[in-house]
Each structure stands twice: as C-alpha cells, then as structure tokens.
Amino acid sequence: MRYAETGYNLEIDLTRGNIERVATNPEDSQLYLGGLGTNAKIIWDRVPPEVEAFSPNNLLIFAAGLLCGTPATGCNRTIVTTISPMTQLLAFSMMGGFWAPELKYAGYDKVILRGKSPDLVYIWIKDDKVEIRDASHLRGKGAIETAKLICEELKEPKAQVAAIGAAGENRVYFASIEQGRSSASRGGIGAVMGDKGVKAIVVRGTKDIHLARPAEYMQLCDEVMEYIKFRNANPIPGVMPILAILGSPQEMKVHDEKWHTENFMWGNSRERRKGFWTDQVAEDWKQTMDQMRTRLISCYNCPMTCGATISPPGKSTYMMKCFSKLTYTMAAFSDLAFGLGIAQAATEHGVDGFSAPQVMAFALELLEAGILSKDDFPGLPDDSEGRFYWLLDHIVHRKGIGDILANGTYWAAKQIGNGAEAYAHNNIKKQEQLPLKLSMLNPIYFLMYATGEKMNITQIEGQFPQAPFPTREEREAFVKDWFQVPDEKFKQYFLDWEGRGDNSIPYYPTPSMCCDIVDWQERMHYIDDALGMCAGLSSFPLKPPYHIHNYPKLISSGAGFDMDEASLTKAAKRYRTLVRAINTRRGMRRIDEKPPANHWKKRFPELEKELLDTYYAFKGWNEQGIPTEETLRDLGLDYVYEEFVKRGVYADEGEASSQATPAETGKEV
Ligand code: SF4
C-alpha cells in the first residue's frame, strides 16, 4: 500500500500516441520525496545535457507534490519540470489551483510527456481512462477560453484544465501554462508544451488517497489550521503588509500600493518612481479595483483567498495573480484599469507576467535609443498603452520584430546587436529577473540571486526578515515566539542585526551567517516544492504554519516513511544538489552566478567573492560551484559523481560556462 502518493505515473509518448500507467519505486519517494525531488531524478536519468528544450527527447513533467490532495491546508501545487528554452537549464515552475489534487484523485502522481505530437492535441484523464484527443479546433484560442470549451465539450464542468495560449503554441520563450486560478510561468515551460503539440491536459479524478496514520495526520492538520487563524488575527508588526500575514491576499484586498509602486523598478527601467502614489492615484485605483474585482478566491483546500476574479469592461473574466496587478501598469507608465485589462489578454495568451512587461519595455527603449527603428514597428500606436497591446500581439504570434522579442531580452539583444545588449541589463542565467535596482549590496540577497536556480527571487526568499528592525526592543519582541527557526542561533543573528554601524549590511550578517540564512530559506522552498505545499503558507512568509519541526511528522504520518528533521534536511539537500548537478552537467559554472551589474549601486567585489567562496564551501561545492565527490557520495548521489568524472566535468575551469551549453553547441543524442 502506498500512502499520500498513488505510486503510479502516467507516461505519454506523443510521437507514437502511446499511453502507459507505470508503477513507481517507493524507495525514490524516501530519497527524493516527490514533486520536484522525483522530477529531478527523472530528468537526470532520462534527459542528457545534449538534449535541448525543443527536442522530442526533452521531457515535460507535471507532478503533484507528495502530500497534495491530502487534508493538509494549502497543499495543492503542481510542479512542472523540463529543460527551459530560455536558459537551456532546468526549469521548475509551480502552480496552485486545483489541478494537482485532481491528478492524485485520478490515480497518478505525475504526467510525463515525451516526444512530439504531429497534430495539436489535448490529453483527457478521467481516472483510469486516458485519451489523446484532437485539439485542432482550439488552435490560437486563449488558455482560459480553451479550458471553458473543453469542459463544455466533455460535459465535465468539474474537470481541471492546464492549458497554453497562443504564446505556448508559438514557442515564446516566456510562455506560461495557465490553469484557471494559477499559472506556472517561469522558464518558458508553456513553450515546451506547445512544442510537444499539447494544448491542454484535462483531469478529473474520483478516487481516494490513503494516509498511513490518519488520526495523527488530521491532528497535525488541525494544529496548522489553528495557527493560520492565529497568524491571520495577529499580523507581524513593523513589516510591509505582504510579510505581515500569510499567503498574498493583500494584493487583491488592500488598496494601498505606495510601497510597491514607489520602491520597485518596473518594466526595464533603472529608476524608481518616487512620488508616484498620490491621493488621486490611490482613489482612482481603489475605484478601479472595486469595479473590476468580482470575487475573492482561493486555491484547493485553503481559506486564504489570495486570488481574485477580475472582469474588465468588454473582456471575459479571468483570475488575477498577485504580482501581475502591477507589472504591466507600471511598465507602461499607465493606470490600474489598463493593467487589469492587458493582464486579461496576457493570461489568455499565456505569458509570464514577470518577463513579458520587461521585454515590451526593452523593445520600446531600443526604439527610443535608435537601436531599432520605426520600420521595425509598422503600425505601432503613439500612446504607451496601445504600444503595449501591439507588442503583446506581435510577441505571442511571433509577428515581425515580435519573433525576436519572443526569445526574451537576453537572446533578442544578441540577435539585434548594435548595442542592444546593454539594454538587457536585468538577466541572471539568461532570464529576466525582478527589475530591482537598489542602493547597498545585501549579502543575503546577493547569494540568493547568484546561486538560485529557481529563476524567481520571491520563490527563494522568506523565513528570515528582509531587513533589521529599528530597535532592539522590536527585535526582542519578534524572536520571542519565533519557534520556526531550525536553530536558536538564527535568533541571535537577527537580534544583533542593526540598520547602521558595524552590524549592518553589507558586512553583517557575516558570510558564514549568510550561508546559514540562505540555506535555511532555500531548504524550506525546496521542501515545499517536493511536498506540493504553497510557499505562501510555508517558505515565503515570516513565522509560517509549516516549518522544519512539523514537516517530518506530516510526512511520517501521511506518507508512512519515517522522517525526522535531520533526514528531511538531508533528503532536501539530496534533490537540491541533484538540481544543481543537472545544471552543472548542462554547463552552468561560477561565471553564470552573477546578479546584474546594476542591481545594487554600491558593490563590494572582494566581499562578493568571499560570500560566494564561503557559500560554495558550505554547500559542499567546489570553487566552480560543482558538487564535490565527498558531497555527492554523502548524499548517495554516487551515480552523479561517476557521470561527472566520465564527462570531465571537474576538469572544466568554467571559462565556457552555460553561455555555450552542450545543448547549444553539441550534437543531440
Ligand atoms: S495561501 Fe493563497 S496562494 Fe497559497 S494555497 Fe492558499 S489561496 Fe492559494
């Protein structure tokens, strides 16, 4: 008997039209948990580095996390894993909503796609019945529209649909997969789905999931719910709203956007818009939100209502994801009504709300700078809003200049030349990042930006406050009920962190403290991504209901294999290291682990070198960021070590880096 998981994957060969239900190895679950962990193992085993993103040999894996579909509040994440067309490295993007629990109820932990369908198809999974169906009538349709049409066609209103829009069909490098109440957006995973000829995966399940020790598990779930209620009633004082409570509901509920609009750079810019948030703007935006927001909604089995259905005038209703609320608005120097309107189109087309506005603003900068000319933009409207709609349409359909822009700023700049690369100033590992331009180097964030392989800083940070609290009294009050820490030393790190003087950034926290902090933050995110837990209830907020102390008990009583904090930490380190090994094997080296040059105004090259050296050593990686033999053997990843030796990975000094990965230069195997 398997507990929490079903013990079966669905393997679909799209080239041959072959569908198989494959029993999985329970030992893999103990070693790599599930979700991202077992996805990484499958990619390591079956996708060699010469396989590029749009190869039929690339896999596209949709996984439900280990505890998805159980009564654990907020455990609903689908983890989509593949090789990214943007970076040619591993992409693993998460989406909430209802899809992953439904897959479990249908009797599967993962759907693994390989090959390419000669025609556009969708996959229909209803418990044991699985079909590949014609989707030619859905070509070019929006992702939300597709979901609606398929549910009508199948007469299955409760089916959950993960679909792509035009961007995915046209292999836009930042195409997303949309799923009604959420989306998996980073790394261009929607482009891989489109390349495989799959418009949608539709799931309806009616089976049960078994728990190893149900009474114990339910007791733990009840404790989590009680704590959520407590945290909702007791926001953390002295921090910005998004960090004061759990989830990210305030984006849809709270009208005050002064902090976000004035402190972030937006679009492709290098400047903040200080003084943007006036009383008039606040009033206008409140009215707009009140008119267009029709309902607050949650993901499966969660009370937090982080999302909202938005109905812009004359457009169909869609679900707004928190961060998209501002990205288009601010990039186009426009207002919220425009932002909510274009986000509807962008959601239907299926593009990443992080990258798309940056790429569009980048194109307009190149036009203003004379690097691109008016001839490159035939019919471009004069107004900023019209220009953004024009660009969105051209990018998602790869029309004209949109064909180049659809590859993202890194690749587009290379293709355009003529100095365009100076304008692609916001990339790490070839992908657009949060366009922040800050003053003083923050050593914790330096390490997260440099070494993160999740391609999204908001998916790496959390747990430890982003800045010191002004007074010692406030810090003492904060640490009093901070039981989530894995070790008491974190309290001391925070207590001694000052805004000014010797114990302030960039030299405090010290490199060794930064290693502890970054490692803790990253570990919690990786555990969430294996279990299928929403980061909004675990790794992202301060003082969350899920943490290193109750997770082992949930895994033990839910999945039935014994885990304590040490073995859970080791399992997370195992598959985190495997993620790095996959990217190492694809050519990623130290030279790639660089935050953008203008991310902070005040940089400290010697300190940055020390930080990276110390962190690599802390993680058991060599000076190139490659996991060492000792590390790999300790984690039971001997097979990785042997492959590294066979491929001469340790002899590589890192000069080539993933600027020229095997997939870009070598012959596909
Ligand atoms: S906290 Fe918000 S994003 Fe997370 S599962 Fe709940 S509703 Fe979804």
Side-chain angles (χ1 to χ4, degrees):
M1 171 77 86
R2 299 283 279 272
Y3 299 108
E5 58 186 351
T6 67
Y8 290 95
N9 291 341
L10 200 52
E11 296 254 6
I12 301 179
D13 184 329
L14 295 154
T15 307
R16 297 178 185 176
N18 190 47
I19 301 168
E20 275 179 86
R21 179 174 174 261
V22 179
T24 57
N25 183 350
E27 276 177 25
D28 282 348
S29 305
Q30 301 211 21
L31 289 170
Y32 308 96
L33 303 182
L36 171 65
T38 36
N39 284 6
K41 177 70 166 71
I42 291 167
I43 295 277
W44 173 271
D45 287 346
R46 292 168 53 181
V47 184
E50 295 78 8
V51 171
E52 60 96 41
F54 293 145
S55 160
N57 294 329
N58 188 13
L59 300 180
L60 179 64
I61 308 174
F62 289 71
L66 179 67
L67 300 181
C68 273
T70 68
T73 299
C75 198
N76 50 48
R77 261 41 189 174
T78 306
I79 300 96
V80 187
T81 309
T82 191
I83 300 302
S84 162
M86 179 73 84
T87 63
Q88 294 294 345
L89 301 173
L90 190 74
F92 48 106
S93 194
M94 273 59 65
M95 57 188 178
F98 287 65
W99 198 91
E102 200 74 35
L103 183 70
K104 283 279 192 78
Y105 301 146
Y108 312 98
D109 298 315
K110 299 183 199 293
V111 178
I112 303 173
L113 304 180
R114 66 178 186 272
K116 290 190 194 196
S117 167
D119 306 303
L120 192 65
V121 296
Y122 73 87
I123 294 159
W124 169 221
I125 302 164
K126 186 172 186 186
D127 294 329
D128 295 336
K129 194 173 146 209
V130 183
E131 294 172 50
I132 301 174
R133 295 174 68 115
D134 174 49
S136 53
H137 57 301
L138 300 168
R139 189 177 296 282
K141 299 270 187 232
I144 309 164
E145 188 187 3
T146 293
K148 186 167 165 281
L149 290 170
I150 290 177
C151 288
E152 284 169 7
E153 180 176 308
L154 296 172
K155 297 188 177 52
E156 290 279 356
K158 290 187 176 170
Q160 299 301 326
V161 183
I164 55 169
E169 284 182 45
N170 294 317
R171 309 199 307 179
V172 172
Y173 282 14
F174 43 94
S176 60
I177 298 169
E178 300 288 331
Q179 192 248 306
R181 294 178 189 220
S182 190
S183 71
S185 298
R186 296 298 275 168
I189 54 175
V192 176
M193 188 158 159
D195 181 66
K196 295 203 170 298
V198 176
K199 182 70 180 171
I201 308 181
V202 189
V203 192
R204 180 78 179 111
T206 59
K207 300 183 186 180
D208 292 327
I209 296 173
H210 303 283
L211 294 169
R213 300 193 292 275
E216 193 181 323
Y217 193 79
M218 290 308 296
Q219 169 72 25
L220 289 161
C221 292
D222 288 347
E223 286 168 17
V224 164
M225 263 315 288
E226 282 308 307
Y227 186 75
I228 289 172
K229 285 184 207 159
F230 166 79
R231 279 285 278 103
N232 285 344
N234 295 277
I236 293 171
V239 295
M240 66 183 108
I242 197 165
L243 300 175
I245 51 170
L246 302 170
S248 54
Q250 66 288 339
E251 286 293 306
M252 295 300 132
K253 288 177 187 164
V254 174
H255 293 293
D256 185 353
E257 289 288 3
K258 181 177 173 62
W259 191 86
H260 272 132
T261 55
E262 294 193 350
N263 282 293
F264 282 54
M265 318 297 128
W266 296 95
N268 199 42
S269 93
R270 285 151 283 260
E271 305 290 335
R272 298 182 204 190
R273 295 178 72 185
K274 288 179 184 151
F276 170 83
W277 192 256
T278 62
D279 289 348
Q280 187 59 49
V281 170
E283 181 54 30
D284 291 349
W285 284 35
K286 180 176 184 310
Q287 276 184 19
T288 299
M289 203 55 167
D290 288 348
Q291 281 163 9
M292 294 194 195
R293 186 189 53 211
T294 37
R295 201 156 65 92
L296 292 168
I297 53 175
S298 278
C299 304
Y300 175 83
N301 189 22
C302 185
M304 295 304 296
T305 58
C306 293
T309 50
I310 305 286
S311 306
K315 297 182 180 223
S316 50
T317 299
Y318 71 107
M319 195 211 82
M320 163 64 63
K321 284 145 291 192
C322 59
F323 202 68
S324 311
K325 177 180 170 186
L326 298 177
T327 53
Y328 295 97
T329 298
M330 300 303 287
F333 288 78
S334 186
D335 60 18
L336 188 61
F338 162 76
L340 298 185
I342 196 168
Q344 189 271 347
T347 305
E348 282 284 20
H349 290 316
V351 282
D352 174 10
F354 239 78
S355 283
Q358 288 189 54
V359 176
M360 290 146 83
F362 161 80
L364 294 175
E365 273 200 298
L366 295 187
L367 175 61
E368 281 165 21
I371 292 171
L372 291 172
S373 75
K374 279 189 175 168
D375 294 343
D376 294 311
F377 299 85
L380 185 75
D382 290 331
D383 64 301
S384 176
E385 299 182 357
R387 288 177 163 206
F388 268 66
Y389 273 107
W390 187 98
L391 283 163
L392 180 62
D393 176 57
H394 280 67
I395 288 168
V396 301
H397 295 107
R398 283 191 175 270
K399 291 191 287 192
I401 191 70
D403 189 31
I404 293 173
L405 297 172
N407 297 338
T409 57
Y410 174 87
W411 298 107
K414 275 190 179 304
Q415 280 177 271
I416 293 165
N418 195 22
E421 279 170 306
Y423 293 79
H425 62 94
N426 204 37
N427 297 326
I428 304 173
K429 298 175 182 130
K430 301 175 189 166
Q431 182 157 24
E432 295 80 17
Q433 304 295 321
L434 191 66
L436 280 176
K437 304 295 166 202
L438 302 166
S439 172
M440 175 72 81
L441 178 98
N442 178 321
I444 300 170
Y445 275 76
F446 169 82
L447 282 180
M448 288 194 293
Y449 271 112
T451 65
E453 283 159 85
K454 244 175 131 169
M455 304 301 170
N456 188 340
I457 195 72
T458 60
Q459 297 284 314
I460 306 172
E461 64 187 351
Q463 308 284 332
F464 200 82
Q466 293 184 5
F469 290 4
T471 66
R472 185 145 189 117
E473 289 70 37
E474 286 170 278
R475 299 197 288 275
E476 280 169 354
F478 179 82
V479 303
K480 249 183 205 154
D481 62 351
W482 198 13
F483 63 84
Q484 291 86 350
V485 288
D487 190 295
E488 290 295 301
K489 67 185 172 190
F490 288 95
K491 293 183 180 175
Q492 201 58 49
Y493 293 171
F494 184 63
L495 281 170
D496 293 341
W497 196 10
E498 308 269 1
R500 289 176 190 281
D502 290 347
N503 278 10
S504 66
I505 60 169
Y507 294 106
Y508 189 97
T510 64
S512 123
M513 292 175 189
C514 288
C515 292
D516 285 333
I517 294 165
V518 172
D519 182 67
W520 172 30
Q521 299 193 117
E522 186 184 74
R523 186 194 323 160
M524 297 317 298
H525 279 285
Y526 273 73
I527 293 172
D528 287 348
D529 297 345
L531 303 184
M533 184 58 71
C534 170
L537 294 174
S538 177
S539 44
F540 183 73
L542 299 166
K543 301 183 180 176
Y546 294 103
H547 41 79
I548 195 65
H549 308 303
N550 63 2
Y551 261 155
K553 296 177 198 161
L554 278 153
I555 295 169
S556 301
S557 59
F561 39 85
D562 285 336
M563 282 241 145
D564 56 19
E565 291 178 26
S567 57
L568 176 57
T569 297
K570 189 159 187 176
K573 186 173 180 186
R574 182 176 297 116
Y575 58 82
R576 193 277 172 261
T577 305
L578 195 51
V579 166
R580 172 143 291 239
I582 291 167
N583 288 333
T584 298
R585 192 172 62 164
R586 299 187 74 82
M588 189 184 79
R589 297 289 182 273
R590 184 182 184 122
I591 197 172
D592 301 296
E593 308 225 283
K594 268 195 284 200
N598 60 358
H599 192 87
W600 295 280
K601 215 182 269 178
K602 291 182 195 154
R603 298 292 291 259
F604 299 82
E606 280 179 24
L607 174 62
E608 291 173 24
K609 180 179 180 310
E610 186 189 351
L611 281 163
L612 214 48
D613 286 343
T614 314
Y615 191 62
Y616 280 0
F618 176 94
K619 295 291 257 191
W621 305 340
N622 71 13
E623 69 283 356
Q624 281 299 331
I626 301 170
T628 62
E629 176 183 2
E630 191 187 356
T631 303
L632 294 170
R633 292 210 189 278
D634 179 55
L635 294 169
L637 299 176
D638 303 69
Y639 59 90
V640 172
Y641 174 70
E642 278 144 31
E643 171 92 350
F644 278 0
V645 171
K646 199 173 88 190
R647 288 181 173 269
V649 164
Y650 292 114
D652 182 350
E653 296 295 317
E655 277 139 21
S657 88
S658 72
Q659 303 295 318
T661 61
E664 287 164 46
T665 57
K667 293 249 180 304
E668 188 177 313
V669 293

